Structures are given as C-alpha cells and as structure tokens.
Amino acid sequence: MSLPPVILQVFAGIYGLLTLASLVCYGISLKQRDVTELKQRIVSWWVMVSVILACFALGEGFTIAAIGVLSYLAFKEFVSIIPTRRTDHRPIFWAYIAIPIQFYWIYIGWYGMFIIFIPLYMMLFIPMRMVLIGNTKQFTVAASTINWLLLLTVFSLGHMAFLVQLPVNDSALPGLGLVLFLLLLTQFNDVAQFTFGKLFGKNKVLATVSPKKTIEGLLGGILATTLLAVLLAPLLTPLSLTYSICAGLLISLFGFIGDVSISAVKRDLGIKDAGSMIPGHGGVLDRVDSLIFTAPLFFHFIRYLHY
Amino acid sequence: MKNWLKVLFFALLVRPIVFFIIGLNVHHKKNLPAEGSAILAANHNSHLDTLVLMSLFPLKQLYRLRPVAAADYFMKNRWVRWFSLRVLNIIPLHRDGSIPKESLLSECHQALTDGDILILFPEGSRGKPEQLGEFKKGIFHLANAHPTAKVIPVFTYGLGKSLPKGEKLLVPFFSDVVIGSPLDQHNDSQTFMTALNQQMQQLAKQVNTGRILD
C-alpha cells in the first residue's frame, strides 16, 4: 500500500533532523571529543525510524503486529530483570500467551474486549493459576508483579496499536497518522529534555530517582514538544489548536513521568539499563518507558474528543 | 551429510529460538576463539546451555564444536543417541564408572589434538537453577595435556529460568552470556581451579538478570 503524502513528508522531516544530528555529532568528533555513545545512539535512531517507516508501508495489520512484538520484547525484558519465583514458570507462560490474544482483539477492532481483557480477566486468571500451584510464599508480591508488568508493557503499549483502528473522520488520513504523532512527540520529548538538560540544566528534579533530570531540561522539553505538537497536529490529527497544545503538554509531562517511573524500577533493582538490545539506548524498555504513560493517555484524550 | 543436518538444525531452529524467542545478551564476543583448539568451560543450568553456546559461533565453525555430555542421559535410547551423536556431535562421557578413569577423557584428548573446540561443563551436572556449583578437575588434566588449547571461561545466566531442570515448557527470559578472556597456563591443579573459579565469579558480576525470590 502507498502511504499518504503527508506521512511521507513527516518522515522526510525526521530524516532531515537525523541528518542534522549526525552532522553535529561529526562536528563534535572533530574536536577530539569521545562521541562513541552519541554516535551509537544516533545510528540506532536511523535504524528505528527506518523500521517504523517499513512497518507503516507494509500496512496497518503489520503495524499492529509490530507493536505486538515490541510489547513482547518489553515484557520479556521486564520479567527478566525483576525478581520472580521459580514456581511462577507457568503463570509467566500464560502472561506471554495473553500478548497475541490482546493484539488479536486490537486487530479485529473489538474495543470492549481490548479494554478489559488484561486489567480484568488476566488480572484474575494469573493469581488463579498461581494458587493452583500452591506456593503461598511471596504470593502477593508475585501476583502483583506479573499483573503490573502485563499492564505496563502489553495493555499500555497496546493503546498505540489501537490508534490504528481510529480512522480520522473528516480526512482520508488513516490511524497511522495518530501513531506517528504519538511516537514522534514522545521520542522528541525525551531527546529535547535530555538536550535542554545538558545545555542549561542546573536545578535537579526528582534527584532520588534520576540524578541527571533537571527542571531546565523538563521545562525545555515541555516547551519544545508543545511547539512541535502545534505544528504537527493539523497535518496528522483532527485536533484543534487548543487541544493540540493540551496534547503537547500531556505527552511531554507524562513522557517524563513514564521515564522516571522505569528509572525508579531500575534503581530499586540496582541496574543501569534494562538490556542491551539497542546500542547506545540500552534495552527496549529503556526506549519505550515514556510511551507506557503517553500511549494510553493520548489514546483516551483523542478518543473522547473525536469519536 | 552429518554436518549438513547440524547446520540446518541450527540455522532454522536453534538460532531463531536462541536469538529471538529467548533473546541473548552476549558480552565480550571478541573473546571467542577464532582458530585453533579450545576448551569452553561454562556453568550448567539448563538443557539450553549447550545449544546456546553452540549458537555463539558462526555456522561454518559448527563442525569443530564438540559438547561433552553425560552418556547416561544423551545416549539413553536410540533416538536420543542418534540425535546426540549425529546432530549435536557430542563426546559422550560415562559417569557410571563403566570405563577406567585413565581412558575416560580419551575422546576429548583426541578432539583437542584434531583442533576442535570442546564445550565442557565442569560442574558435572545441571545444578540448581542459577547457582554456581563446584567445578570438577577433569578440565585441568585436559588443559595441562594440551598447552596450545585456550581455556575460555563462559558464564551464562537466565537460561535456567527459561528452561529449568525438570521443566519441559520453555518460557522466554532474556539471558546473559559473558565470555571471559583465556586462562593462563598453570601446572598444578589447585592454582588452575582457583583461577578458573575466580574468573567465573568475576564474569557472574556482569549480568543484568533478575534474582529469584524463593
């Protein structure tokens, strides 16, 4: 299938930004500074953006499946770093089985089932499976942990896939425009907060969780992301000016919350990165942490306003 | 024919499982021996260990890999025996005392002389999931007799969670494989074993994977 021209134009813009970033990185390297990690990070961005473009080009079903794979990887990474009980081998197996089922509901567009399957039925089913095994030691911790992981990595991220099922009423743009809007703003916000923090950061915010986060970075991110939201909303979404400002604020603020929430988990476990799948970024979880919060919030925001 | 089956089995089944379904974080891959005979000494927690270690090498190196495996388990019936010898190309180790101690490792010595890579689990058996057991000294005698063969300690973590002993259902957990640098030559077994154990403890510190609650 061919993508609408406006989506291709936004991708052209992203590639433009990446080219600029690569040139800046090259410029810094000329000053004999070590840019290995920055370079790795930028190369990974080129790869990730290209993978997203390829998924979009292959169609909506493929994009939903790809987000399913992303959820699988994030769940696997999370369940691998968090302490689990040996007796939870089979309950965790069922948690994995819930992933294709959840994405099947999304694929057929069954909203009611999509919205209750994990938070209600899996939440009941997993403790039931655990109690049949009979290990009561740390039962509460184990049941809560697995359900929480499913909620964060599969249910939350799945909202991004359900955006595909929301056709924009008054234009020919498919739900892919909404996915692109959410992804681009969330990731841009991460980069913007990081960059503003590096350039102007002085006053720490949430120092016990993430010592590198600063108020200057947070505010710079919110400003830049909201500005980008206002510029992109008319192209990719049906949002009005006021609501696109709200969307920008929502994504930038809760992107930050998602980021620090996963930082808190890693701090609790005493690890720096959740994995090493994406060079320069860490694991999948390190990359999608902010999306865990922004995806459901943006989804419901736009759904209640326009559908 | 023998090698063709092995390559197919690894390319189509083992590698997709190891690298996508389970997902492997490989640390210090450059420490793997590119040429010459070698002994990989790894901790043992899961049936997956052998397959994972064999997947680290390029397919064209597969024919040189010789996992040393317990005969009582890997030769227990004709089907398992055919698979172990023909596809995995194992060196059976008889733990039941049916073979005199002097000739127990003779096939291992031959493989090292031929320039092969031995995959050895010096703990002797799969221990409790994710716990390092005591290493047995057979590895010292092999290393001592083949001074040109590199001894490379490998620490794996997480595989015992994906497929623990006694469990038939594979549940994916990201796993870590940390490859150490080759061990120095030592003429007495005590020093050698201490050095090996110390390296393993060092490698164990580099993994990310979660603890077990009970």
Side-chain angles (χ1 to χ4, degrees), chain B residues 1-14 54 59 62-63 82-89:
Chain B
M1 171 65 190
K2 198 163 129 180
N3 201 39
W4 175 79
L5 258 179
K6 195 177 189 177
V7 169
L8 220 58
F9 175 66
F10 273 87
L12 299 180
L13 194 66
V14 178
M54 291 174 84
L59 288 173
L62 268 181
Y63 74 97
W82 176 85
F83 178 79
S84 304
L85 292 176
R86 285 291 158 136
V87 182
L88 292 181
N89 201 10

Side-chain angles (χ1 to χ4, degrees), chain A residues 69 72-73 76-77 79-81 83-86 89-90 92-93 96 135 138 269 271 273-277, chain B residues 20-23 25 129 131 161-164 167-174 208-214:
Chain A
V69 171
Y72 165 73
L73 292 172
K76 184 168 62 164
E77 212 164 73
V79 83
S80 302
I81 56 170
T84 48
R85 303 183 303 171
R86 210 163 295 141
H89 199 74
R90 299 213 165 195
I92 293 171
F93 173 78
Y96 274 112
N135 182 4
Q138 306 261 37
L269 299 174
I271 58 174
D273 290 329
S276 58
M277 253 190 100
Chain B
F20 181 73
I21 308 236
I22 298 176
N25 302 318
Q131 278 182 26
K161 279 166 85 180
S162 289
L163 190 67
E167 180 62 74
K168 288 194 169 62
L169 193 69
L170 174 87
V171 174
F173 286 92
F174 266 101
N208 238 358
T209 323
R211 297 155 286 163
I212 291 176
L213 273 178
D214 50 358

Side-chain angles (χ1 to χ4, degrees), chain A residues 231-258:
Chain A
L231 289 173
L232 285 176
L235 300 175
L236 297 172
T237 74
L239 293 169
S240 67
L241 177 65
T242 317
Y243 286 133
S244 61
I245 293 174
C246 294
L249 292 173
L250 192 83
I251 289 176
S252 49
L253 192 62
F254 285 94
F256 171 79
I257 301 289

Side-chain angles (χ1 to χ4, degrees), chain A residues 162-235:
Chain A
F162 211 92
L163 284 174
V164 173
Q165 300 292 15
L166 300 179
V168 175
N169 298 338
D170 46 0
S171 77
L173 200 63
L176 291 179
L178 297 174
V179 179
L180 184 57
F181 184 78
L182 168 69
L183 266 175
L184 179 54
L185 284 187
T186 307
Q187 303 304 334
F188 177 80
N189 178 56
D190 278 5
V191 177
Q193 288 196 8
F194 175 80
T195 314
F196 278 100
K198 278 265 176 199
L199 292 176
F200 310 109
K202 276 198 178 68
N203 302 297
K204 291 195 188 323
V205 57
L206 273 178
T208 56
V209 180
S210 190
K212 280 183 183 163
K213 294 266 185 294
T214 59
I215 294 182
E216 291 79 2
L218 178 60
L219 291 179
I222 289 176
L223 205 69
T225 306
T226 308
L227 194 69
L228 188 67
V230 169
L231 289 173
L232 285 176
L235 300 175

Side-chain angles (χ1 to χ4, degrees), chain A residues 94-151:
Chain A
W94 288 111
Y96 274 112
I97 296 298
I99 302 174
I101 298 174
Q102 173 72 354
F103 279 85
Y104 176 70
W105 308 137
I106 297 173
Y107 178 70
I108 62 172
W110 187 357
Y111 182 77
M113 201 56 176
F114 156 71
I115 217 74
I116 64 168
F117 176 63
I118 287 178
L120 182 61
Y121 291 118
M122 285 313 292
M123 192 268 286
L124 294 173
F125 179 75
I126 286 185
M128 183 184 90
R129 187 67 191 87
M130 280 180 174
V131 85
L132 292 180
I133 294 166
N135 182 4
T136 55
K137 203 176 155 199
Q138 306 261 37
F139 184 86
T140 322
V141 176
S144 316
T145 303
I146 297 175
N147 278 308
W148 190 54
L149 299 194
L150 263 185
L151 210 66

